Amino acid sequence: MKPSIFDLSHDELKKILTDNKVSGFGATQIFDWLYKKWEFNPENWSNVAKKTREFIQEQYSTELNKIVWNGLSKDGTRKFLVKMYDGQTVEAVAIPARDRLTLCVSSQVGCAVGCTFCHTATQGLKRHLKTGEVVGQYMSVQQWLFDNVGPEEKLTNIVYMGQGEPLHNYENMKRATEIFLHERGLGLGQRRITLSTSGLVPAIEKLALDFPPVNLAISLHSARNDVRTEMMPINKVYDLDRLFAAIKKIPLKAHRRITYEYLLADGVNDTMEDVVALAELLNSKESKINLIPFNEFPGSKYKRPSEQKIMWFLDQMIKRGFTCTIRTTKGSDILAACGQLKSEYDKVNLWNKDEGPVVIPSIANNVVQNQTTR
Ligand code: SF4
């Protein structure tokens, strides 16, 4: 199988073309065709030398990943199942909000981190996604939206919050980010990309050295080590002291803050003790807190707190000077949970070409999370 052209950064493509004695200038033209003109057939790259086009056709695949299923929620959220070249599938979710259309992409097939509130964790890690498979989720979904919704349906933001721990797949996510940001690539602004991590400390320490500067979200979920370890076994290895020692080394540009994701689970991390610990741990000027009320699923060990409790927690953090928001659950009426989504799709053919996605009520009614809550 040929490697994907979407695996390559601009500089890598330029070097490959130069090393193989075809024009290095072709890299810029090829990037223009792929990422600006959305033309994936090398035969139509009219300003690229024939020798260069032939070289690309022989050595690389320019095909997009296939969307094998999609579902539309009442709130406008669209979930896509994207098939990789080896038949593995991952999910990507397009989430509309005011003037934005954010794509939540996956970084791995499955995940090794094992958070106890997450369906993806039950799959274990199958493999890392390649750079081209991360970029490919964006390209395939955008192409699908252009073809099926209209040219105005443009993705504007990306979050790395789908299946997988992005920093466990560091090099591929770094290269994908370079392509998302590169002026000859997709040209997205740094503030339009958010990397979310469960707290892989060695990789966080490396971020400041060589990862493109994008927004950072940390999945905290508790400011108490014992509770965090129960929810996220990674805390046994990289506890709060180690995590925050690494975070403090990240140089924050003026007016930029780190977002802390906090999944609220009834009776687990939503008490006054938790409020106090959280307020002591975080600096209100450098942090934003995003509360995510837990959405139950069959077999889940946690419960969603009452609305009153959620509002109480929010109020407590705001009173203490924090910028604190509640993430609204989107896409709860479509098949939406990580892991469960994928395994159920494998068993049945859910795609009806003429009528669109077929929803199986027994699954749809049970599924609540629209993305991992790392
Ligand atoms: S929440 Fe994220 S890091 Fe944790 S197991 Fe799920 S996919 Fe992995």
Side-chain angles (χ1 to χ4, degrees), residues 256-280:
R256 291 186 78 167
R257 303 177 189 193
I258 292 176
T259 300
Y260 292 90
E261 308 284 358
Y262 197 100
L263 183 140
L264 275 174
D266 189 35
V268 176
N269 61 353
D270 62 350
T271 64
M272 181 54 94
E273 196 181 349
D274 295 294
V275 167
V276 172
L278 189 56
E280 274 175 12

PDB file of all heavy atoms in Angstrom, residues 256-280:
ATOM      1  N   ARG A 256      -3.356  34.411  27.518  1.00  0.00           N
ATOM      2  CA  ARG A 256      -3.756  33.049  27.179  1.00  0.00           C
ATOM      3  C   ARG A 256      -3.796  32.219  28.449  1.00  0.00           C
ATOM      4  O   ARG A 256      -3.010  32.402  29.360  1.00  0.00           O
ATOM      5  CB  ARG A 256      -2.813  32.459  26.150  1.00  0.00           C
ATOM      6  CG  ARG A 256      -3.028  33.204  24.835  1.00  0.00           C
ATOM      7  CD  ARG A 256      -2.272  32.656  23.708  1.00  0.00           C
ATOM      8  NE  ARG A 256      -2.873  31.456  23.168  1.00  0.00           N
ATOM      9  CZ  ARG A 256      -2.494  30.951  22.002  1.00  0.00           C
ATOM     10  NH1 ARG A 256      -1.559  31.526  21.302  1.00  0.00           N
ATOM     11  NH2 ARG A 256      -3.043  29.862  21.555  1.00  0.00           N
ATOM     12  N   ARG A 257      -4.728  31.333  28.498  1.00  0.00           N
ATOM     13  CA  ARG A 257      -4.902  30.505  29.691  1.00  0.00           C
ATOM     14  C   ARG A 257      -5.009  29.050  29.288  1.00  0.00           C
ATOM     15  O   ARG A 257      -5.389  28.738  28.167  1.00  0.00           O
ATOM     16  CB  ARG A 257      -6.208  30.865  30.398  1.00  0.00           C
ATOM     17  CG  ARG A 257      -6.332  32.298  30.800  1.00  0.00           C
ATOM     18  CD  ARG A 257      -7.702  32.460  31.414  1.00  0.00           C
ATOM     19  NE  ARG A 257      -7.996  33.858  31.654  1.00  0.00           N
ATOM     20  CZ  ARG A 257      -9.016  34.258  32.397  1.00  0.00           C
ATOM     21  NH1 ARG A 257      -9.821  33.379  32.947  1.00  0.00           N
ATOM     22  NH2 ARG A 257      -9.243  35.522  32.588  1.00  0.00           N
ATOM     23  N   ILE A 258      -4.732  28.189  30.254  1.00  0.00           N
ATOM     24  CA  ILE A 258      -4.933  26.764  30.024  1.00  0.00           C
ATOM     25  C   ILE A 258      -6.360  26.414  30.470  1.00  0.00           C
ATOM     26  O   ILE A 258      -6.838  26.922  31.493  1.00  0.00           O
ATOM     27  CB  ILE A 258      -3.891  25.939  30.812  1.00  0.00           C
ATOM     28  CG1 ILE A 258      -2.497  26.182  30.199  1.00  0.00           C
ATOM     29  CG2 ILE A 258      -4.241  24.458  30.811  1.00  0.00           C
ATOM     30  CD1 ILE A 258      -1.362  25.514  30.942  1.00  0.00           C
ATOM     31  N   THR A 259      -7.019  25.597  29.686  1.00  0.00           N
ATOM     32  CA  THR A 259      -8.358  25.143  30.073  1.00  0.00           C
ATOM     33  C   THR A 259      -8.235  23.838  30.847  1.00  0.00           C
ATOM     34  O   THR A 259      -7.486  22.938  30.445  1.00  0.00           O
ATOM     35  CB  THR A 259      -9.234  24.914  28.812  1.00  0.00           C
ATOM     36  OG1 THR A 259      -9.332  26.159  28.113  1.00  0.00           O
ATOM     37  CG2 THR A 259     -10.625  24.429  29.180  1.00  0.00           C
ATOM     38  N   TYR A 260      -8.943  23.741  31.943  1.00  0.00           N
ATOM     39  CA  TYR A 260      -8.986  22.496  32.724  1.00  0.00           C
ATOM     40  C   TYR A 260     -10.369  21.888  32.582  1.00  0.00           C
ATOM     41  O   TYR A 260     -11.378  22.523  32.908  1.00  0.00           O
ATOM     42  CB  TYR A 260      -8.649  22.775  34.195  1.00  0.00           C
ATOM     43  CG  TYR A 260      -7.197  23.190  34.343  1.00  0.00           C
ATOM     44  CD1 TYR A 260      -6.820  24.530  34.260  1.00  0.00           C
ATOM     45  CD2 TYR A 260      -6.198  22.228  34.495  1.00  0.00           C
ATOM     46  CE1 TYR A 260      -5.493  24.902  34.334  1.00  0.00           C
ATOM     47  CE2 TYR A 260      -4.868  22.594  34.572  1.00  0.00           C
ATOM     48  CZ  TYR A 260      -4.522  23.928  34.485  1.00  0.00           C
ATOM     49  OH  TYR A 260      -3.200  24.296  34.545  1.00  0.00           O
ATOM     50  N   GLU A 261     -10.377  20.676  32.026  1.00  0.00           N
ATOM     51  CA  GLU A 261     -11.652  19.964  31.863  1.00  0.00           C
ATOM     52  C   GLU A 261     -11.954  19.259  33.184  1.00  0.00           C
ATOM     53  O   GLU A 261     -11.069  18.612  33.767  1.00  0.00           O
ATOM     54  CB  GLU A 261     -11.538  18.912  30.751  1.00  0.00           C
ATOM     55  CG  GLU A 261     -10.991  19.431  29.428  1.00  0.00           C
ATOM     56  CD  GLU A 261     -12.005  20.235  28.643  1.00  0.00           C
ATOM     57  OE1 GLU A 261     -13.155  20.363  29.095  1.00  0.00           O
ATOM     58  OE2 GLU A 261     -11.633  20.756  27.572  1.00  0.00           O
ATOM     59  N   TYR A 262     -13.190  19.386  33.633  1.00  0.00           N
ATOM     60  CA  TYR A 262     -13.558  18.798  34.921  1.00  0.00           C
ATOM     61  C   TYR A 262     -14.884  18.079  34.766  1.00  0.00           C
ATOM     62  O   TYR A 262     -15.954  18.697  34.716  1.00  0.00           O
ATOM     63  CB  TYR A 262     -13.657  19.906  35.979  1.00  0.00           C
ATOM     64  CG  TYR A 262     -13.640  19.415  37.405  1.00  0.00           C
ATOM     65  CD1 TYR A 262     -12.480  19.462  38.163  1.00  0.00           C
ATOM     66  CD2 TYR A 262     -14.799  18.912  38.006  1.00  0.00           C
ATOM     67  CE1 TYR A 262     -12.460  19.018  39.482  1.00  0.00           C
ATOM     68  CE2 TYR A 262     -14.791  18.467  39.322  1.00  0.00           C
ATOM     69  CZ  TYR A 262     -13.616  18.527  40.053  1.00  0.00           C
ATOM     70  OH  TYR A 262     -13.599  18.087  41.353  1.00  0.00           O
ATOM     71  N   LEU A 263     -14.801  16.770  34.638  1.00  0.00           N
ATOM     72  CA  LEU A 263     -16.004  15.955  34.508  1.00  0.00           C
ATOM     73  C   LEU A 263     -16.638  15.818  35.892  1.00  0.00           C
ATOM     74  O   LEU A 263     -15.989  15.369  36.830  1.00  0.00           O
ATOM     75  CB  LEU A 263     -15.606  14.577  33.958  1.00  0.00           C
ATOM     76  CG  LEU A 263     -16.741  13.619  33.684  1.00  0.00           C
ATOM     77  CD1 LEU A 263     -16.458  12.882  32.388  1.00  0.00           C
ATOM     78  CD2 LEU A 263     -16.881  12.621  34.809  1.00  0.00           C
ATOM     79  N   LEU A 264     -17.885  16.258  36.009  1.00  0.00           N
ATOM     80  CA  LEU A 264     -18.562  16.217  37.317  1.00  0.00           C
ATOM     81  C   LEU A 264     -19.331  14.919  37.489  1.00  0.00           C
ATOM     82  O   LEU A 264     -20.253  14.638  36.710  1.00  0.00           O
ATOM     83  CB  LEU A 264     -19.556  17.374  37.424  1.00  0.00           C
ATOM     84  CG  LEU A 264     -19.032  18.725  37.896  1.00  0.00           C
ATOM     85  CD1 LEU A 264     -20.144  19.762  37.799  1.00  0.00           C
ATOM     86  CD2 LEU A 264     -18.492  18.657  39.323  1.00  0.00           C
ATOM     87  N   ALA A 265     -18.938  14.127  38.469  1.00  0.00           N
ATOM     88  CA  ALA A 265     -19.618  12.859  38.733  1.00  0.00           C
ATOM     89  C   ALA A 265     -20.225  12.912  40.133  1.00  0.00           C
ATOM     90  O   ALA A 265     -19.555  13.320  41.100  1.00  0.00           O
ATOM     91  CB  ALA A 265     -18.638  11.699  38.616  1.00  0.00           C
ATOM     92  N   ASP A 266     -21.463  12.488  40.234  1.00  0.00           N
ATOM     93  CA  ASP A 266     -22.228  12.610  41.478  1.00  0.00           C
ATOM     94  C   ASP A 266     -21.537  11.919  42.659  1.00  0.00           C
ATOM     95  O   ASP A 266     -21.233  10.718  42.597  1.00  0.00           O
ATOM     96  CB  ASP A 266     -23.613  11.993  41.252  1.00  0.00           C
ATOM     97  CG  ASP A 266     -24.537  12.279  42.417  1.00  0.00           C
ATOM     98  OD1 ASP A 266     -24.418  13.371  43.000  1.00  0.00           O
ATOM     99  OD2 ASP A 266     -25.367  11.414  42.744  1.00  0.00           O
ATOM    100  N   GLY A 267     -21.268  12.703  43.692  1.00  0.00           N
ATOM    101  CA  GLY A 267     -20.705  12.144  44.927  1.00  0.00           C
ATOM    102  C   GLY A 267     -19.242  11.742  44.816  1.00  0.00           C
ATOM    103  O   GLY A 267     -18.652  11.236  45.770  1.00  0.00           O
ATOM    104  N   VAL A 268     -18.636  11.980  43.673  1.00  0.00           N
ATOM    105  CA  VAL A 268     -17.239  11.567  43.476  1.00  0.00           C
ATOM    106  C   VAL A 268     -16.304  12.775  43.580  1.00  0.00           C
ATOM    107  O   VAL A 268     -15.339  12.773  44.351  1.00  0.00           O
ATOM    108  CB  VAL A 268     -17.058  10.879  42.091  1.00  0.00           C
ATOM    109  CG1 VAL A 268     -15.598  10.529  41.839  1.00  0.00           C
ATOM    110  CG2 VAL A 268     -17.937   9.640  41.997  1.00  0.00           C
ATOM    111  N   ASN A 269     -16.608  13.815  42.814  1.00  0.00           N
ATOM    112  CA  ASN A 269     -15.704  14.978  42.766  1.00  0.00           C
ATOM    113  C   ASN A 269     -16.486  16.287  42.781  1.00  0.00           C
ATOM    114  O   ASN A 269     -16.038  17.285  42.226  1.00  0.00           O
ATOM    115  CB  ASN A 269     -14.820  14.898  41.509  1.00  0.00           C
ATOM    116  CG  ASN A 269     -15.636  14.914  40.229  1.00  0.00           C
ATOM    117  OD1 ASN A 269     -16.869  14.863  40.266  1.00  0.00           O
ATOM    118  ND2 ASN A 269     -14.957  15.001  39.104  1.00  0.00           N
ATOM    119  N   ASP A 270     -17.679  16.271  43.392  1.00  0.00           N
ATOM    120  CA  ASP A 270     -18.532  17.469  43.335  1.00  0.00           C
ATOM    121  C   ASP A 270     -18.887  18.002  44.727  1.00  0.00           C
ATOM    122  O   ASP A 270     -19.921  18.623  44.911  1.00  0.00           O
ATOM    123  CB  ASP A 270     -19.818  17.151  42.545  1.00  0.00           C
ATOM    124  CG  ASP A 270     -20.662  16.046  43.199  1.00  0.00           C
ATOM    125  OD1 ASP A 270     -20.159  15.398  44.143  1.00  0.00           O
ATOM    126  OD2 ASP A 270     -21.812  15.856  42.771  1.00  0.00           O
ATOM    127  N   THR A 271     -18.012  17.755  45.715  1.00  0.00           N
ATOM    128  CA  THR A 271     -18.304  18.184  47.087  1.00  0.00           C
ATOM    129  C   THR A 271     -17.571  19.497  47.404  1.00  0.00           C
ATOM    130  O   THR A 271     -16.744  19.963  46.612  1.00  0.00           O
ATOM    131  CB  THR A 271     -17.820  17.115  48.088  1.00  0.00           C
ATOM    132  OG1 THR A 271     -16.382  17.050  47.969  1.00  0.00           O
ATOM    133  CG2 THR A 271     -18.410  15.757  47.794  1.00  0.00           C
ATOM    134  N   MET A 272     -17.850  20.044  48.570  1.00  0.00           N
ATOM    135  CA  MET A 272     -17.149  21.264  48.990  1.00  0.00           C
ATOM    136  C   MET A 272     -15.642  21.006  49.095  1.00  0.00           C
ATOM    137  O   MET A 272     -14.825  21.865  48.764  1.00  0.00           O
ATOM    138  CB  MET A 272     -17.720  21.763  50.332  1.00  0.00           C
ATOM    139  CG  MET A 272     -17.073  23.041  50.823  1.00  0.00           C
ATOM    140  SD  MET A 272     -17.117  24.381  49.600  1.00  0.00           S
ATOM    141  CE  MET A 272     -18.592  25.241  50.082  1.00  0.00           C
ATOM    142  N   GLU A 273     -15.278  19.815  49.537  1.00  0.00           N
ATOM    143  CA  GLU A 273     -13.854  19.458  49.618  1.00  0.00           C
ATOM    144  C   GLU A 273     -13.198  19.566  48.234  1.00  0.00           C
ATOM    145  O   GLU A 273     -12.060  20.033  48.091  1.00  0.00           O
ATOM    146  CB  GLU A 273     -13.741  18.018  50.146  1.00  0.00           C
ATOM    147  CG  GLU A 273     -12.370  17.660  50.641  1.00  0.00           C
ATOM    148  CD  GLU A 273     -12.302  16.203  51.127  1.00  0.00           C
ATOM    149  OE1 GLU A 273     -13.357  15.547  51.261  1.00  0.00           O
ATOM    150  OE2 GLU A 273     -11.174  15.733  51.357  1.00  0.00           O
ATOM    151  N   ASP A 274     -13.950  19.165  47.215  1.00  0.00           N
ATOM    152  CA  ASP A 274     -13.423  19.225  45.846  1.00  0.00           C
ATOM    153  C   ASP A 274     -13.308  20.672  45.367  1.00  0.00           C
ATOM    154  O   ASP A 274     -12.340  21.036  44.697  1.00  0.00           O
ATOM    155  CB  ASP A 274     -14.333  18.434  44.896  1.00  0.00           C
ATOM    156  CG  ASP A 274     -14.321  16.954  45.231  1.00  0.00           C
ATOM    157  OD1 ASP A 274     -13.257  16.330  45.062  1.00  0.00           O
ATOM    158  OD2 ASP A 274     -15.348  16.441  45.695  1.00  0.00           O
ATOM    159  N   VAL A 275     -14.307  21.485  45.711  1.00  0.00           N
ATOM    160  CA  VAL A 275     -14.268  22.905  45.341  1.00  0.00           C
ATOM    161  C   VAL A 275     -13.021  23.556  45.929  1.00  0.00           C
ATOM    162  O   VAL A 275     -12.257  24.238  45.238  1.00  0.00           O
ATOM    163  CB  VAL A 275     -15.543  23.632  45.862  1.00  0.00           C
ATOM    164  CG1 VAL A 275     -15.378  25.149  45.786  1.00  0.00           C
ATOM    165  CG2 VAL A 275     -16.780  23.187  45.093  1.00  0.00           C
ATOM    166  N   VAL A 276     -12.811  23.317  47.216  1.00  0.00           N
ATOM    167  CA  VAL A 276     -11.680  23.950  47.907  1.00  0.00           C
ATOM    168  C   VAL A 276     -10.356  23.467  47.309  1.00  0.00           C
ATOM    169  O   VAL A 276      -9.447  24.266  47.021  1.00  0.00           O
ATOM    170  CB  VAL A 276     -11.750  23.651  49.429  1.00  0.00           C
ATOM    171  CG1 VAL A 276     -10.489  24.118  50.145  1.00  0.00           C
ATOM    172  CG2 VAL A 276     -12.987  24.317  50.035  1.00  0.00           C
ATOM    173  N   ALA A 277     -10.243  22.177  47.068  1.00  0.00           N
ATOM    174  CA  ALA A 277      -8.998  21.637  46.508  1.00  0.00           C
ATOM    175  C   ALA A 277      -8.728  22.220  45.125  1.00  0.00           C
ATOM    176  O   ALA A 277      -7.589  22.573  44.789  1.00  0.00           O
ATOM    177  CB  ALA A 277      -9.086  20.109  46.434  1.00  0.00           C
ATOM    178  N   LEU A 278      -9.783  22.355  44.326  1.00  0.00           N
ATOM    179  CA  LEU A 278      -9.625  22.875  42.964  1.00  0.00           C
ATOM    180  C   LEU A 278      -9.190  24.342  42.998  1.00  0.00           C
ATOM    181  O   LEU A 278      -8.283  24.758  42.263  1.00  0.00           O
ATOM    182  CB  LEU A 278     -10.963  22.712  42.214  1.00  0.00           C
ATOM    183  CG  LEU A 278     -10.971  22.995  40.719  1.00  0.00           C
ATOM    184  CD1 LEU A 278      -9.948  22.148  39.973  1.00  0.00           C
ATOM    185  CD2 LEU A 278     -12.375  22.744  40.140  1.00  0.00           C
ATOM    186  N   ALA A 279      -9.835  25.100  43.862  1.00  0.00           N
ATOM    187  CA  ALA A 279      -9.490  26.531  43.967  1.00  0.00           C
ATOM    188  C   ALA A 279      -8.068  26.718  44.473  1.00  0.00           C
ATOM    189  O   ALA A 279      -7.379  27.670  44.089  1.00  0.00           O
ATOM    190  CB  ALA A 279     -10.483  27.231  44.888  1.00  0.00           C
ATOM    191  N   GLU A 280      -7.612  25.811  45.312  1.00  0.00           N
ATOM    192  CA  GLU A 280      -6.227  25.919  45.816  1.00  0.00           C
ATOM    193  C   GLU A 280      -5.204  25.512  44.763  1.00  0.00           C
ATOM    194  O   GLU A 280      -4.120  26.071  44.676  1.00  0.00           O
ATOM    195  CB  GLU A 280      -6.048  25.026  47.052  1.00  0.00           C
ATOM    196  CG  GLU A 280      -6.466  25.744  48.320  1.00  0.00           C
ATOM    197  CD  GLU A 280      -6.408  24.840  49.545  1.00  0.00           C
ATOM    198  OE1 GLU A 280      -5.834  23.733  49.454  1.00  0.00           O
ATOM    199  OE2 GLU A 280      -6.959  25.245  50.580  1.00  0.00           O
TER     200      GLU A 280
END
